[in-house]
Amino acid sequence: MAPATYSFQDTLPRLPIPSLKNSCDLYLRTLVPLLTPQEYANTERIVTEFQTSELAQSLQQRLVDLDQKSPYNWLEDNFWLNKAYLEWREPVMVNSNWYILGQDDANHPKELLANNAKSVAPGEFTRFQIRRAAHMVLRGVHYKEIIDRQELPVEMMKGNKAQCMWQYSRIFGVTRVPLPHCDSVLQGDASKLRHIIVVVRDQLFNLEVYDQNGPKSVDALEKDLLNIVTYVQNLQQLDAAIPLLTSWDRDNWAVARNHLLTIDPSHRVNTQIIETSLFGLALDDYSHGDALSDRTRSMFCGNQGIGNGHNRWFDKSFLLIVDSSGKCGVSGEHSPADALTVSFTFDHMLMETCPGPFDPSVISKATTPATANLSAVNHLRWKSDAKLIQCLADAQIAADAVASKSDSDVLIFTEFGNDWVKKVGRVPPDAFYQMALQLAYFRTHNTVVPTYESGSTRKYLHGRTETIRSCSTDSKRFVEAFVNPSVDNKTKYELLQKAAVAHRDYTMIASDGYGCDRHLMALRILNADHQMLSKSGKFEDVPMHPIFKDPAYANSQTWLLSTSSLHAGVRLMGTGFGAVYPDGYGINYMPAPKLIKFGIESKRGAKSVSTKEFAENIRQALRDLRVLCEDVNVNPKARL
């Protein structure tokens, strides 16, 4: 019998606290490729003084005390959730949420995929859309029950060591709630929750997915969803588009939500239903087509048939989206769990093909089924006032502004994948792809920049991520040599190998919990309200140490390349997140044995080039690296 999902949690070690020396030395090492010699000398002096200072020792001991009173680990319990997510005031739409695109169903009606999957007129729903949505909802409920029963296999690392499975408890029944200055995460007991929310033309519905016998059947769920769609089609007037408010910046959304709750007591009931739902389902009366750029835009920005920010509840940890062509994807709020964990839920939804019938016909008022029971539809109704209407108008302006700047697409590179990289490239695949991104950026902008890659720390209890600083002295030497025609291929390949080894070594450091970024962040936060004894024996506030005011500290965390990777995801057609900075790129890649998928987002009107141009630069970098590796490792003349 396989071990229960959470059976190893009590055996997992706690996230370590790096030593001051290790973090300071590692931090300095990462600055070498980013600073001039004069800048580096100044920063080195500041860091060296900090490392040996009484203040640093005092902050370190305070962090140790904090760790000892923390139930799980010093980082997640005290700093990471708030500082990385909940205190951030920007809209989660594009800026924080991630998306994943799903493959078409094996029995997808060809009529719905005709004309680049835009054969359905705007404003229409289709029967296959509803059928597939019902099937995927049921698959999602089944996955939740697997977790409830602790039948999900424990994910193991090399050496047969268990990884932390805690994040799987934070997928269902979880919602981010806007509050002034710092949001909160509301989590219900998923094992006791029985409903999801359904969003149709910005109308919200409470849908029970269980009956007295357990999870409803596909047929029963399909009937429920048909009732909802038919109900909306026959509404004389739609309620206010409350979901639009979730696309707004967090402080404005917090104020608007608070006002919404004062208008009518039923609004508190509505929000509780939404926020405690297992997950969300958005049915779009619009087909976003085959183009991956259009599909990513619908995941990032909402139903484009209605407008930016519409027909989504961006605060849900997991929102399934099915458009009128039957194409699907998910959008996720990032704070409760990382996309890698949640992606397995979506993959499970896609694993089994939708059962028939596969009816491509359009649903209209004229074809309302005789079996429709519109009285059974649980519509969450909203009352409006002038202030709320103004909030919606302002939120629309803001959503349009965010969406107008977002430029997203997916590059599917099919010329090789992990198999070739291992056999011919002879470097670790992740390091290879990171060097390709370094090369693409250097060719595009003629410089190297701070580069973030998320490294998993799930070997520890409640571990999430640590920063892998992918731009190194070795990666800089490699990209500079690669574009230099006077450097021979053998030398270029040796530099590629050195850069890959440096990246692999840093990845191991980060995954072991000894990266410098999270540690220094915690020390900086503690420094902000720290007191020490003065020479006279009195308590006094301690000013922020120069290490945290040094421009190198902030600049080295200005991640103009923000990257992450997912599993191969055969059924997943691409995934991505927004660029962290206006002049940067957000890149999530999915390496598989024979191909790699890159989800890319950048901002229009910024110093970055278009996403399409950068995608082509990545493609060319991969091709050129292939030529290099084959010339050295396959062509005998290159070995002479």
Side-chain angles (χ1 to χ4, degrees):
M1 187 174 183
T5 301
Y6 303 120
S7 60
F8 289 98
Q9 292 298 103
D10 291 341
T11 71
L12 295 174
R14 291 172 68 89
L15 184 72
I17 300 176
S19 70
L20 288 168
K21 183 179 189 312
N22 282 352
S23 288
C24 289
D25 288 351
L26 183 61
Y27 171 59
L28 282 173
R29 194 175 90 196
T30 68
L31 298 180
V32 174
L34 304 174
L35 303 180
T36 65
Q38 295 79 10
E39 290 170 337
Y40 181 82
N42 181 62
T43 295
E44 183 181 35
R45 175 186 57 79
I46 293 171
V47 173
T48 301
E49 191 280 324
F50 172 75
Q51 179 186 324
T52 58
S53 68
E54 183 183 0
L55 171 60
Q57 302 299 325
S58 180
L59 294 173
Q60 182 80 344
Q61 290 306 313
R62 187 175 166 190
L63 185 57
V64 171
D65 284 339
L66 198 60
D67 179 46
Q68 290 179 350
K69 80 176 187 67
S70 301
Y72 302 109
N73 74 54
W74 60 269
L75 178 61
E76 183 69 19
D77 293 342
N78 302 284
F79 302 108
W80 186 243
L81 185 62
N82 284 355
K83 294 300 178 182
Y85 300 109
L86 301 182
E87 291 182 8
W88 202 25
R89 301 289 84 194
E90 293 298 310
V92 296
M93 185 182 87
V94 178
N95 296 303
S96 179
N97 283 21
W98 49 263
Y99 73 84
I100 307 175
L101 303 177
Q103 69 177 6
D104 295 336
D105 191 83
N107 295 311
H108 219 107
K110 294 180 180 179
E111 299 92 330
L112 296 179
L113 300 178
N115 191 28
N116 296 319
K118 287 193 173 184
S119 60
V120 182
E124 302 284 9
F125 301 93
T126 64
R127 292 187 178 278
F128 178 74
Q129 171 192 17
I130 304 305
R131 182 71 175 176
R132 192 180 194 199
H135 167 67
M136 297 185 74
V137 165
L138 179 58
R139 293 285 296 172
V141 173
H142 284 167
Y143 194 77
K144 181 203 78 77
E145 294 213 316
I146 291 172
I147 296 174
D148 290 345
R149 295 191 301 268
Q150 294 201 48
E151 293 174 357
L152 195 69
V154 179
E155 294 171 12
M156 309 299 286
M157 301 179 295
K158 291 181 179 178
N160 204 34
K161 294 182 179 180
Q163 294 194 79
C164 180
M165 299 295 286
W166 165 68
Q167 289 188 51
Y168 285 98
S169 70
R170 291 170 64 79
I171 298 172
F172 297 102
V174 181
T175 307
R176 179 167 170 169
V177 178
L179 295 172
H181 312 303
C182 181
D183 293 352
S184 67
V185 174
L186 188 151
Q187 180 171 6
D189 183 349
S191 66
K192 297 178 180 178
L193 297 173
R194 301 169 64 86
H195 73 283
I196 66 170
I197 57 163
V198 181
V199 197
V200 181
R201 292 182 183 169
D202 284 318
Q203 307 303 290
L204 291 145
F205 299 87
N206 177 9
L207 176 60
E208 294 286 326
V209 293
Y210 285 81
D211 57 24
Q212 65 274 15
N213 299 317
K216 290 182 178 178
S217 66
V218 173
D219 291 343
L221 289 169
E222 179 185 27
K223 181 179 178 181
D224 289 338
L225 295 177
L226 281 170
N227 284 340
I228 289 173
V229 166
T230 303
Y231 171 90
V232 172
Q233 289 178 320
N234 285 276
L235 272 179
Q236 296 300 310
Q237 184 174 354
L238 300 177
D239 284 357
I242 301 302
L244 172 62
L245 296 174
T246 67
S247 71
W248 213 358
D249 70 85
R250 305 311 293 177
D251 282 335
N252 273 324
W253 170 209
V255 173
R257 178 179 177 275
N258 181 261
H259 176 69
L260 181 69
L261 295 173
T262 68
I263 295 175
D264 190 87
S266 66
H267 293 180
R268 170 64 71 177
V269 177
N270 289 351
T271 56
Q272 288 176 337
I273 290 171
I274 295 165
E275 290 161 3
T276 61
S277 59
L278 287 168
F279 56 93
L281 166 65
L283 297 173
D284 286 354
D285 58 349
Y286 187 79
S287 175
H288 295 91
D290 262 339
L292 294 174
S293 58
D294 292 335
R295 292 184 66 193
T296 62
R297 187 170 185 80
S298 75
M299 297 294 124
F300 265 139
C301 302
N303 182 350
Q304 296 300 292
I306 304 176
N308 295 311
H310 286 272
N311 215 52
R312 305 286 183 265
W313 198 270
F314 288 105
D315 291 350
K316 286 304 294 181
S317 62
F318 188 91
L319 179 70
L320 172 65
I321 301 163
V322 185
D323 75 12
S324 59
S325 72
K327 288 183 176 291
C328 66
V330 293
S331 168
E333 201 285 304
H334 210 156
S335 62
D338 297 317
L340 176 62
T341 305
V342 189
S343 70
F344 291 112
T345 306
F346 188 41
D347 190 62
H348 185 84
M349 289 177 161
L350 294 163
M351 199 174 294
E352 289 187 3
T353 186
C354 178
F358 312 109
D359 185 352
S361 65
V362 165
I363 303 167
S364 65
K365 291 182 182 181
T367 58
T368 299
T371 57
N373 183 7
L374 304 190
S375 63
V377 171
N378 191 346
H379 185 192
L380 306 183
R381 306 306 302 258
W382 307 95
K383 296 179 181 179
S384 301
D385 63 9
K387 290 182 179 179
L388 183 62
I389 292 171
Q390 185 59 54
C391 284
L392 289 165
D394 292 343
Q396 186 65 71
I397 293 171
D400 289 341
V402 171
S404 69
K405 295 177 181 178
S406 180
D407 182 9
S408 60
D409 205 347
V410 175
L411 165 65
I412 300 181
F413 183 83
T414 59
E415 297 173 30
F416 63 82
N418 285 353
D419 288 351
W420 178 90
V421 174
K422 294 174 185 177
K423 182 178 180 180
V424 181
R426 301 177 189 173
V427 293
D430 187 67
F432 182 90
Y433 302 130
Q434 284 289 326
M435 293 311 110
L437 294 175
Q438 290 293 313
L439 179 58
Y441 191 94
F442 188 77
R443 282 174 160 173
T444 305
H445 297 285
N446 198 33
T447 188
V448 296
V449 292
T451 304
Y452 174 96
E453 182 185 4
S454 57
S456 173
T457 55
R458 284 180 57 203
K459 65 173 62 177
Y460 300 111
L461 185 63
H462 284 207
R464 286 190 65 168
T465 61
E466 173 60 88
T467 302
I468 302 168
R469 293 193 169 204
S470 296
C471 179
S472 66
T473 301
D474 290 299
S475 70
K476 183 179 182 181
R477 288 172 180 160
F478 163 65
V479 296
E480 288 177 338
F482 197 91
V483 300
N484 185 345
S486 66
V487 179
D488 63 86
N489 278 356
K490 185 174 183 296
T491 302
K492 290 178 181 179
Y493 180 74
E494 290 171 351
L495 291 172
L496 170 63
Q497 286 184 307
K498 288 180 180 179
V501 168
H503 182 270
R504 181 198 61 197
D505 291 347
Y506 202 116
T507 298
M508 294 176 64
I509 290 170
S511 296
D512 286 341
Y514 292 101
C516 62
D517 282 277
R518 308 289 192 261
H519 185 207
L520 291 176
M521 176 196 72
L523 297 178
R524 176 182 59 80
I525 293 169
L526 294 175
N527 193 169
D529 65 351
H530 195 60
Q531 287 189 328
M532 293 176 61
L533 284 173
S534 66
K535 292 182 179 179
S536 62
K538 295 181 179 180
F539 290 106
E540 62 180 14
D541 293 333
V542 179
M544 190 66 71
H545 192 277
I547 187 176
F548 302 120
K549 297 189 289 185
D550 178 19
Y553 181 72
N555 292 343
S556 70
Q557 297 176 82
T558 303
W559 311 115
L560 296 185
L561 265 180
S562 181
T563 72
S564 186
S565 63
L566 220 60
H567 54 91
V570 175
R571 289 168 286 272
L572 312 181
M573 301 309 297
T575 178
F577 53 85
V580 180
Y581 290 91
D583 295 338
Y585 305 89
I587 303 175
N588 198 315
Y589 53 98
M590 303 173 67
K594 305 297 182 184
L595 55 84
I596 317 108
K597 291 167 274 194
F598 295 86
I600 309 166
E601 200 268 349
S602 63
K603 309 301 182 190
R604 294 185 177 91
K607 294 180 182 178
S608 55
V609 299
S610 71
T611 289
K612 182 177 180 180
E613 181 178 346
F614 197 71
E616 288 306 311
N617 290 348
I618 294 173
R619 189 196 306 275
Q620 192 59 49
L622 290 167
R623 287 172 171 169
D624 291 346
L625 286 176
R626 178 174 190 168
V627 170
L628 171 68
C629 294
E630 290 184 345
D631 187 40
V632 174
N633 294 329
V634 178
N635 183 358
K637 294 181 180 179
R639 302 192 194 108
L640 300 178

